[in-house]
Amino acid sequence: MSKLLSRVLLALTLLVLPIGSIAAPAPVTVHITNFVFTPAELSVPAGTTVTWVNDDDIPHTVVSDDKTAFRSQVLDTGQRFSFTFKTAGSFGYFCSIHPHMTGRVTVT
């Protein structure tokens, strides 16, 4: 087979082969226990979904410091709230019912 034909066949093969999907970052869980977000500080790559789980026996919320990036409804025991961080930055958050509860997600 000529070199030219071999190169053409290789190029065509590469065009029709499925391109492997880029794996999404692994999801991360933050537990709300004893009036504390655990872990309180995270560093994650863009595209990561963070899920907060209320393990307390009283309600809590998860609200970004700017009150616009993300905001959960009131979470009763066992309820969850998830948010996917698509852009890099530092995102502080708090519980609007108990404002002394704070956390931060740093997205790279």
Side-chain angles (χ1 to χ4, degrees):
M1 199 181 307
S2 75
K3 286 185 179 184
L4 177 59
L5 182 56
S6 294
R7 288 180 183 166
V8 169
L9 288 174
L10 176 61
L12 289 173
T13 301
L14 292 174
L15 286 174
V16 297
L17 286 177
I19 296 173
S21 61
I22 297 173
V28 176
T29 301
V30 175
H31 291 273
I32 304 170
T33 308
N34 297 321
F35 293 87
V36 176
F37 294 108
T38 304
E41 300 212 5
L42 295 171
S43 182
V44 299
T48 299
T49 298
V50 176
T51 299
W52 289 264
V53 180
N54 185 3
D55 296 327
D56 268 345
D57 59 356
I58 59 167
H60 294 291
T61 64
V62 180
V63 181
S64 63
D65 284 350
D66 70 1
K67 299 180 181 105
T68 61
F70 54 91
R71 181 183 200 97
S72 75
Q73 296 181 351
V74 174
L75 303 174
D76 286 324
T77 303
Q79 289 187 312
R80 300 168 174 261
F81 168 71
S82 296
F83 182 79
T84 301
F85 290 88
K86 296 179 181 176
T87 59
S90 183
F91 301 87
Y93 64 90
F94 65 102
C95 172
S96 62
I97 302 169
H98 311 98
H100 68 279
M101 294 174 57
T102 62
R104 178 165 303 280
V105 178
T106 301
V107 183
T108 56

